[in-house]
Amino acid sequence: MTDTRYLVHGVFWDAAPASPAAPGGSTDPDGGRPALRLQDPDGGFTELPLDAGTRLGLRLAVDGKHCLGHQKVHGPADRTHVPCPARAQAVKGSQCERCLVVDDSRLIHGFHRGGHVPPGLRAYLMQPHWLYIATFANGASKVGTAADLRKWRRLAEQGAVVARYVARAADGRVVRILEDLVTRDAGVPQQIRSAAKAAALTGPAPPDELDARNSRLACGVRELLAGAGGGGFEVLDEQWLRPGLSDAACAPAVRHAYPHELSSGAHGFRIDSLSGSVALARLDGADLEFVVNLAQLKARTVELGDYGSDIPAVQEALF
């Protein structure tokens, strides 16, 4: 046990896998490793690996959510995290009002409409960007963008089951124009809620079905982009390589939603697989698999230790 209190910044994935993948997934189980990013009281960061077999035990130490601070962007691969000076409660998402206003990243979404951005953020946005179509475990799909340096990792953190890149744009302005075009003319949304992604993993659709759905949608989007005109981008067809650690979570099976709220109390489980921020986990003393949405820990304060979760009275479905 430890009495150090950590502020949870969320689940982050590292560099992309190098090996090729079969359709719908990666053949490299070691490609891309996730970690739970924790900020200590002095502002330093700890990366807690979330590999298969990891046991995660924690206790919620403070009620509510607290501000994660803000980002200053200096270039494509250079940014500074600035802790919240007031250690205030989060009022919107994971930030207080002050940190939200001064966060460079909030300006990204207005850049393609002529919005002003500081020089460092402009340098970040002027690198090449990718447009993708991602499909999740229940068949829901979205269009999204990824900077060149985050091409693979962005989709890993999104928790996609299958995805395809449909265009490469010269910069972040062009790619967001394309993203808005796809939403407006093809009806593809730009967001899928974290709770919906987690719920879908309690009963994922067959991989062939998801791959076929993603392929059809991506094909239609490429046709739309090809006829859109304008410059600054190229249409392409490239499949994303899903991390091997996500394969078990994305495989068709019947699981149970984790029955406890991650906003209070003590929790402990062994992680078997991870898709984005959603874990496929087993509780101590139970053989059932549970789907745990670790995104619910973001902006919450925890203590790590040998904690456990109460085993619910769950009866397996009879067939």
Side-chain angles (χ1 to χ4, degrees):
M1 300 285 186
T2 174
D3 58 1
T4 301
R5 293 183 171 184
Y6 294 100
L7 185 60
V8 180
H9 279 245
V11 176
F12 293 82
W13 290 72
D14 66 7
S19 65
S26 169
T27 59
D28 180 6
D30 299 319
R33 299 186 65 187
L36 189 66
R37 185 170 297 168
L38 306 170
Q39 181 184 338
D40 64 39
D42 295 326
F45 284 97
T46 296
E47 304 282 338
L48 185 65
L50 297 177
D51 299 315
T54 298
R55 189 184 187 283
L56 180 61
L58 54 86
R59 181 183 73 85
L60 277 293
V62 176
D63 291 336
K65 295 184 177 183
H66 284 77
C67 179
L68 298 182
H70 64 278
Q71 299 281 336
K72 288 295 182 185
V73 181
H74 310 296
D78 184 15
R79 62 180 59 202
T80 301
H81 170 257
V82 182
C84 178
R87 299 188 179 183
Q89 286 197 324
V91 295
K92 184 175 181 181
S94 56
Q95 291 176 298
C96 68
E97 290 182 355
R98 178 191 177 279
C99 287
L100 179 63
V101 168
V102 298
D103 196 326
D104 280 355
S105 61
R106 74 180 178 86
L107 302 173
I108 288 176
H109 303 291
F111 178 60
H112 64 297
R113 302 186 184 97
H116 169 75
V117 296
L121 183 59
R122 176 176 291 275
Y124 170 83
L125 288 168
M126 294 310 292
Q127 68 178 302
H129 279 66
W130 300 78
L131 188 73
Y132 64 78
I133 299 295
T135 300
F136 299 88
N138 60 354
S141 299
K142 61 159 285 189
V143 60
T145 71
D148 207 34
L149 295 177
R150 286 179 50 83
K151 176 186 177 185
W152 178 87
R153 186 170 62 182
R154 174 68 173 161
L155 281 158
E157 290 173 352
Q158 289 276 311
V161 174
V162 60
R164 286 174 170 83
Y165 304 101
V166 292
R168 185 177 188 268
D171 55 52
R173 182 188 67 84
V174 172
V175 82
R176 283 168 179 80
I177 292 173
L178 299 179
E179 183 183 33
D180 286 350
L181 172 69
V182 172
T183 297
R184 185 187 71 228
D185 292 0
V188 185
Q190 297 179 14
Q191 289 186 334
I192 302 291
R193 294 175 57 248
S194 171
K197 296 176 187 177
L201 288 172
T202 60
D208 291 347
E209 176 182 317
L210 295 176
D211 185 64
R213 179 172 301 196
N214 182 265
S215 179
R216 288 194 300 271
L217 184 55
C219 181
V221 168
R222 286 194 298 273
E223 291 177 358
L224 172 66
L225 297 177
F233 71 96
E234 60 176 325
V235 179
L236 50 82
D237 181 5
E238 179 182 331
Q239 187 150 354
W240 171 68
L241 308 183
R242 190 178 68 217
L245 181 58
S246 300
D247 288 346
C250 297
V254 177
R255 293 86 174 238
H256 304 281
Y258 185 63
H260 306 301
E261 293 292 332
L262 287 176
S263 57
S264 63
H267 308 268
F269 37 79
R270 187 193 75 204
I271 293 173
D272 291 339
S273 181
L274 193 75
S275 176
S277 297
V278 183
L280 183 62
R282 295 180 186 271
L283 309 188
D284 298 335
D287 292 330
L288 304 180
E289 289 185 317
F290 292 89
V291 173
V292 186
N293 186 7
L294 298 179
Q296 294 176 352
L297 291 172
K298 187 175 181 178
R300 298 192 183 275
T301 303
V302 303
E303 294 176 354
L304 303 179
D306 191 23
Y307 298 105
S309 302
D310 292 335
I311 301 175
V314 177
Q315 181 175 336
E316 290 279 32
L318 300 177
F319 297 94

